[in-house]
Amino acid sequence: HDGYYRPELLIMFLMGNSTDRWAESPAAALQDVQSFVADLPKNQPCIFMTSAPPYGEKTVRLRQKAQENIEAAFAKAGRQCSFIPGLTTETVAENLGNSANFRRNAAGKVKDPVHPTEAAAGKFLALQRDALCKAIATQLARPGLSVALTPRD
């Protein structure tokens, strides 16, 4: 309700469970984005970023298609939120087939091919740093907001 909770910036960082739905249907992606935006308070700064790439090529391809559809949906639904693609040339190159970035069993086989380790997440965020900083600056500098940006190294 009004006044209960109002973050200065909302960041949504996801993909996994929605991948099949968004990959199969641009209309479903648009419906989900429109529903998401409708639930946001007016002028709520927000960033939507898709998840880090998984280990396997088949899953990467499916998520790339889903990312294309959800990015197009955000473009159609308006510009209240900044969109950051999590699957980029650099992030895919870092994770695709790189078992060191995923939890492994005692024999060294990847046991969770969709969730990178904490260290890999750090690498992912480092690769996305410029895109994140740009999106944060864009969102917090929107007209009508009273958030002050303080530059830091």
Side-chain angles (χ1 to χ4, degrees):
H1 62 79
D2 286 344
Y4 174 70
Y5 181 70
R6 179 69 185 245
E8 292 182 15
L9 176 64
L10 174 67
I11 300 177
M12 297 292 294
F13 180 65
L14 59 98
M15 168 91 77
N17 292 336
S18 302
T19 299
D20 289 334
R21 176 178 165 81
W22 294 343
E24 291 172 7
S25 173
L30 181 58
Q31 178 184 14
D32 290 351
V33 168
Q34 289 171 330
S35 178
F36 169 70
V37 172
D39 285 342
L40 290 174
K42 185 178 178 187
N43 293 324
Q44 172 66 61
C46 72
I47 296 171
F48 188 97
M49 181 173 174
T50 53
S51 303
Y55 176 77
E57 186 174 349
K58 182 178 177 184
T59 309
V60 166
R61 282 195 312 268
L62 182 66
R63 286 188 179 199
Q64 286 172 323
K65 181 63 178 167
Q67 180 176 272
E68 288 172 17
N69 289 343
I70 200 70
E71 183 173 15
F74 270 99
K76 278 185 178 178
R79 298 288 181 188
Q80 181 172 350
C81 298
S82 293
F83 180 86
I84 301 174
L87 285 90
T88 66
T89 303
E90 295 81 14
T91 62
V92 170
E94 175 61 36
N95 279 1
L96 184 62
N98 184 355
S99 62
N101 282 351
F102 297 86
R103 289 186 294 153
R104 293 167 283 164
N105 63 21
K109 184 178 179 188
V110 171
K111 64 180 181 178
D112 184 356
V114 295
H115 299 106
T117 63
E118 185 176 339
K123 292 176 190 176
F124 171 75
L125 290 173
L127 289 170
Q128 295 293 78
R129 181 184 187 137
D130 289 345
L132 280 164
C133 288
K134 181 180 176 184
I136 290 167
T138 296
Q139 286 297 312
L140 297 183
R142 288 189 6 217
L145 296 178
S146 61
V147 177
L149 296 177
T150 305
R152 290 186 352 171
D153 290 338

